[in-house]
Amino acid sequence: QKEVEQNSGPLSVPEGAIASLNCTYSDRVSQSFFWYRQYSGKSPELIMSIYSNGDKEDGRFTAQLNKASQYVSLLIRDSQPSDSATYLCAVNVAGGFKTIFGAGTRLFVKA
Amino acid sequence: GAGVSQSPSNKVTEKGKDVELRCDPISGHTALYWYRQSLGQGLEFLIYFQGNSAPDKSGLPSDRFSAERTGGSVSTLTIQRTQQEDSAVYLCASSSQREVEQYFGPGTRLTVT
C-alpha cells in the first residue's frame, strides 16, 4: 500500500465549477498535511497546509482534514483555466521533517 | 527574500560521467531536501538534512548517489558513473526550524546520453 494515495486523474471540470481533489494516507500518526500545485515544467509550489481536523479556507481554496478516516482533500471554488495543473498531496512523517508526496492529480479546467 | 536556488538549470552528460548538482536554500532554513522527478511521475524522496543531525539517506537509490551539506547551508548532490535511468529533474527544497512547509527550487534537469 502506498503511503500517500491520490487519483491520478485527469480530473476535468468546467470553468466556474468546484474541483474536488482527494488524498488518503496510511500513517495514522501523521500530523501535518500539505497541498502543492505544480504547473507543467515547473517546480511544486505550496498552496495550503492543514494540521487540525476540519476545514481551512484561503481564498478560493479549502483544505479538509479527517484524521480518523486518514483523508485530506482540497476544494477549488470558481475554478479557472489557470488552475489547470497537477496537485500534489503531501504528508509529514510524524516526529520528523520527512515528507511523503502522493503521485499527484492532474486537473483540467475547461474554459 | 531570495528563494531556493539550484544550479545548473540543465545538465547534459555522457553515461559513466560524474555530475554535481548544487542547492542553495532559503537563508535561515535548517532543513534541506532532495527529490527526483522523472517525466510524468511524482516526487521521489532522496535525502534530507536537518540542522546538525545525521541526514536521512533512506531514499538514495544506489551507492552512486551521495549528498553533503556544508556549513548547514549549501548542499551538493553527487551522482557517480551516471546511467541513462538517472535522467530526471532533481528538485531541492528547504523548510524552517518551526514549520515543515517546503519551498522548492527551480530544479536541475539532468539528461544522461
Side-chain angles (χ1 to χ4, degrees):
Chain A
Q1 180 189 3
K2 293 182 180 177
E3 293 180 81
V4 179
E5 294 207 47
Q6 297 181 253
N7 187 321
S8 62
L11 173 65
S12 183
V13 301
E15 183 175 359
I18 296 174
S20 177
L21 305 164
N22 305 314
C23 172
T24 58
Y25 60 94
S26 60
D27 184 356
R28 229 171 231 291
V29 298
S30 293
Q31 297 295 319
S32 308
F33 307 86
F34 311 92
W35 284 99
Y36 289 81
R37 177 176 62 198
Q38 187 174 27
Y39 291 114
S40 180
K42 302 295 185 183
S43 56
E45 58 178 323
L46 180 69
I47 300 176
M48 297 278 288
S49 58
I50 186 166
Y51 304 95
S52 304
N53 278 328
D55 295 359
K56 179 181 178 182
E57 187 175 318
D58 184 0
R60 295 187 297 111
F61 299 97
T62 299
Q64 299 175 317
L65 175 61
N66 183 326
K67 291 184 180 180
S69 300
Q70 295 173 242
Y71 176 92
V72 59
S73 65
L74 179 70
L75 300 178
I76 307 174
R77 289 181 300 281
D78 189 24
S79 296
Q80 302 297 308
S82 59
D83 295 326
S84 298
T86 296
Y87 289 81
L88 304 171
C89 173
V91 177
N92 177 243
V93 174
F97 278 69
K98 185 173 179 179
T99 303
I100 305 298
F101 284 78
T105 298
R106 293 182 66 192
L107 172 66
F108 289 107
V109 181
K110 299 173 294 184
Chain B
V4 178
S5 61
Q6 292 186 244
S7 60
S9 55
N10 280 285
K11 176 71 176 179
V12 180
T13 191
E14 292 180 352
K15 177 182 174 180
K17 295 287 180 70
D18 297 352
V19 295
E20 285 190 353
L21 312 180
R22 176 188 167 104
C23 172
D24 201 341
I26 292 172
S27 178
H29 278 192
T30 57
L32 185 149
Y33 310 77
W34 283 99
Y35 297 90
R36 178 169 71 176
Q37 188 171 36
S38 300
L39 188 63
Q41 302 299 308
L43 295 177
E44 177 187 3
F45 167 77
L46 297 177
I47 186 172
Y48 92 89
F49 301 87
Q50 167 50 31
N52 295 321
S53 302
D56 180 341
K57 304 180 181 180
S58 60
L60 294 179
S62 77
D63 58 9
R64 296 187 296 106
F65 288 73
S66 63
E68 63 177 21
R69 188 178 185 191
T70 53
S73 181
V74 173
S75 176
T76 302
L77 176 69
T78 301
I79 309 173
Q80 296 179 309
R81 305 181 301 282
T82 52
Q83 304 295 311
Q84 288 188 327
E85 60 263 29
D86 298 335
S87 296
V89 175
Y90 289 81
L91 291 162
C92 174
S94 70
S95 65
S96 69
Q97 176 77 30
R98 288 184 157 188
E99 299 174 340
V100 294
E101 286 93 345
Q102 295 178 34
Y103 297 89
F104 284 81
T108 293
R109 181 174 298 278
L110 175 66
T111 303
V112 182
T113 61

